[in-house]
Amino acid sequence: MKLSSIKYLTGEGIKNAWVNRLMTLASVGVLVACMVIIGLAILISENVNVAIGNLEQQNVVMVYMKDYNWALYSDKKDTSSAESSSSDTSSAEEGTDTSSAESTAEEADKNGIKHSDYVIHDEKEAKALCDEIAKISNVAEVTYISSNEGLETVKESMPDDQKKYFTFLDEEYGNPLPSAAKVTMKDMALFDKTLKQIEKLDGIDAIQSYGDLAEKITAVKNGIGVAGVWIIAILMIISLVIVSNTIRVTMYNRKLEISIMKAVGATDTFVRIPFVVEGVLIGIISALISEGLLYFCYRVATETIITTLGTSDIVKYSDMAWILLLVFLGIGVFAGILGSFIMISKYLRREGSEFAAI
């Protein structure tokens, strides 16, 4: 097609939009409304993802280790000690001799705890276990918590009038809390799988987690994703219908002109192009207006939220501006091309007999 023909057809498309400006204005208004709703859905989804991401970071898992305190205060220690004593008795009955080094290593201290009764013997081994936990793919961060740090954290969480109940935990009576690791996960959807991987590590006693919260977080994220897809799909259909109706009005207004063009040998493509241009023009105008309107609405909303709630964890519009503009342009151009192309093709196919009669 020649350049002059392209210019002519483009001009005709722009002319169509102006001649039917009332219908064009109505179409732009509806498209803007649809695009703004889509934009708000995207921004709300991003903000919810940020909020959920912050919540996921706070949903830590406490992993407790089999250290000396565990062996001293845990009921499991009694079972293991009894089995160990039974084994020692059996060995003695059988007359088995042990070396002096082994005897020293297995000698119980004043609390009746042996070296083999627990797995984590010092801070170095505890931090090594933390490193093993950190190697699990879904683990984002691991922080080692010593028994003393754990006790101080418990005290800080208690009201002042209740802290006196912990005064007996001094050097004489000791600290019953075992060493622990604070674990943060990347994806809460893999929560249960990650817990099972942690439990398999040697030296792990118990895990304190909030599985219900993890399930709720995953459900909210999935629900928002599904809702967003449905909203965009429904509004896309509405956009197509609006553009199609606008093109239909223009098409019937130019029915005689189209018939003459077909009678003198104009191809279907030549007839379609002005209507496609009109549809695309409506889409582009709607996209630009939607971008400006959404910026104004979002700015007012975020300023109100920041002032009222005092939070700053809100997605900035500047971070999403280009993405939203591309989405709006994509929706506008797609709706314009598809709506106009379908409508004019349908018209040309059904009314071909009229063209032949002329």
Side-chain angles (χ1 to χ4, degrees):
M1 185 177 295
K2 295 180 180 181
L3 182 60
S4 58
S5 298
I6 296 175
K7 289 182 178 180
Y8 167 76
L9 294 174
T10 302
E12 286 296 306
I14 297 173
K15 180 182 176 181
N16 289 345
W18 175 252
V19 171
N20 299 283
R21 49 186 175 275
L22 291 179
M23 193 63 189
T24 300
L25 185 61
S27 300
V28 169
V30 176
L31 277 177
V32 167
C34 293
M35 290 181 184
V36 168
I37 295 174
I38 291 174
L40 287 174
I42 294 172
L43 289 171
I44 291 173
S45 178
E46 286 298 315
N47 279 285
V48 170
N49 286 336
V50 170
I52 290 177
N54 293 335
L55 186 60
E56 286 179 338
Q57 295 301 317
Q58 296 174 8
N59 185 28
V60 297
V61 173
M62 295 301 299
V63 179
Y64 297 99
M65 304 179 184
K66 295 180 179 178
D67 60 0
Y68 184 85
N69 286 353
W70 168 82
L72 180 60
Y73 295 100
S74 174
D75 293 336
K76 297 179 181 179
K77 175 267 300 181
D78 298 333
T79 303
S80 61
S81 297
E83 292 176 352
S84 177
S85 299
S86 176
S87 177
D88 291 342
T89 303
S90 300
S91 298
E93 291 175 354
E94 293 173 3
T96 304
D97 297 329
T98 59
S99 63
S100 58
E102 292 175 345
S103 177
T104 302
E106 290 299 318
E107 184 178 353
D109 62 10
K110 62 179 181 179
N111 295 318
I113 304 299
K114 297 180 180 180
H115 189 270
S116 60
D117 288 340
Y118 53 102
V119 180
I120 305 300
H121 302 94
D122 51 36
E123 184 175 320
K124 182 178 179 181
E125 292 184 356
K127 290 184 177 180
L129 180 56
C130 290
D131 293 337
E132 289 297 316
I133 297 174
K135 292 179 181 178
I136 297 175
S137 59
N138 192 43
V139 172
E141 184 180 3
V142 180
T143 304
Y144 170 66
I145 307 294
S146 66
S147 58
N148 292 331
E149 291 174 341
L151 181 59
E152 289 301 319
T153 301
V154 172
K155 288 182 179 180
E156 290 175 359
S157 65
M158 302 290 290
D160 293 337
D161 59 342
Q162 295 182 13
K163 291 182 180 179
K164 60 184 179 180
Y165 297 117
F166 291 88
T167 56
F168 68 92
L169 296 176
D170 53 17
E171 294 181 358
E172 181 179 354
Y173 294 97
N175 179 1
L177 296 180
S179 300
K182 184 170 68 173
V183 180
T184 304
M185 299 185 189
K186 298 176 183 177
D187 186 358
M188 299 308 292
L190 302 176
F191 187 84
D192 292 334
K193 180 181 179 181
T194 306
L195 289 188
K196 291 179 181 179
Q197 291 176 310
I198 295 175
E199 289 172 348
K200 292 179 181 180
L201 297 177
D202 189 27
I204 301 298
D205 171 36
I207 300 177
Q208 184 182 33
S209 63
Y210 302 93
D212 293 341
L213 180 58
E215 293 178 1
K216 291 178 181 178
I217 290 174
T218 303
V220 170
K221 291 179 70 175
N222 293 337
I224 290 173
V226 172
V229 170
W230 275 105
I231 289 173
I232 293 174
I234 292 172
L235 293 178
M236 277 295 299
I237 294 174
I238 294 174
S239 301
L240 285 173
V241 172
I242 294 301
V243 173
S244 298
N245 286 335
T246 303
I247 300 301
R248 176 182 292 177
V249 171
T250 304
M251 185 175 57
Y252 278 102
N253 286 341
R254 300 185 63 190
K255 183 176 180 180
L256 180 59
E257 183 180 346
I258 293 173
S259 300
I260 295 173
M261 292 171 63
K262 290 293 295 180
V264 297
T267 63
D268 289 347
T269 301
F270 191 88
V271 174
R272 287 192 187 104
I273 290 179
F275 298 99
V276 172
V277 170
E278 181 183 358
V280 171
L281 182 62
I282 293 173
I284 292 175
I285 294 173
S286 302
L288 297 176
I289 296 175
S290 300
E291 181 79 3
L293 184 59
L294 183 60
Y295 167 75
F296 175 77
C297 295
Y298 188 72
R299 180 178 177 180
V300 173
T302 52
E303 288 178 353
T304 303
I305 292 173
I306 293 173
T307 303
T308 305
L309 303 180
T311 180
S312 58
D313 294 334
I314 297 177
V315 176
K316 296 180 180 179
Y317 190 86
S318 57
D319 297 336
M320 300 291 297
W322 285 106
I323 295 176
L324 290 172
L325 180 59
L326 291 175
V327 170
F328 292 158
L329 288 173
I331 293 173
V333 172
F334 175 77
I337 293 176
L338 187 62
S340 59
F341 190 86
I342 291 175
M343 190 54 59
I344 189 63
S345 297
K346 184 178 180 180
Y347 179 82
L348 291 175
R349 185 170 56 255
R350 289 184 177 181
E351 305 297 331
S353 58
E354 293 184 9
F355 302 149
I358 294 175

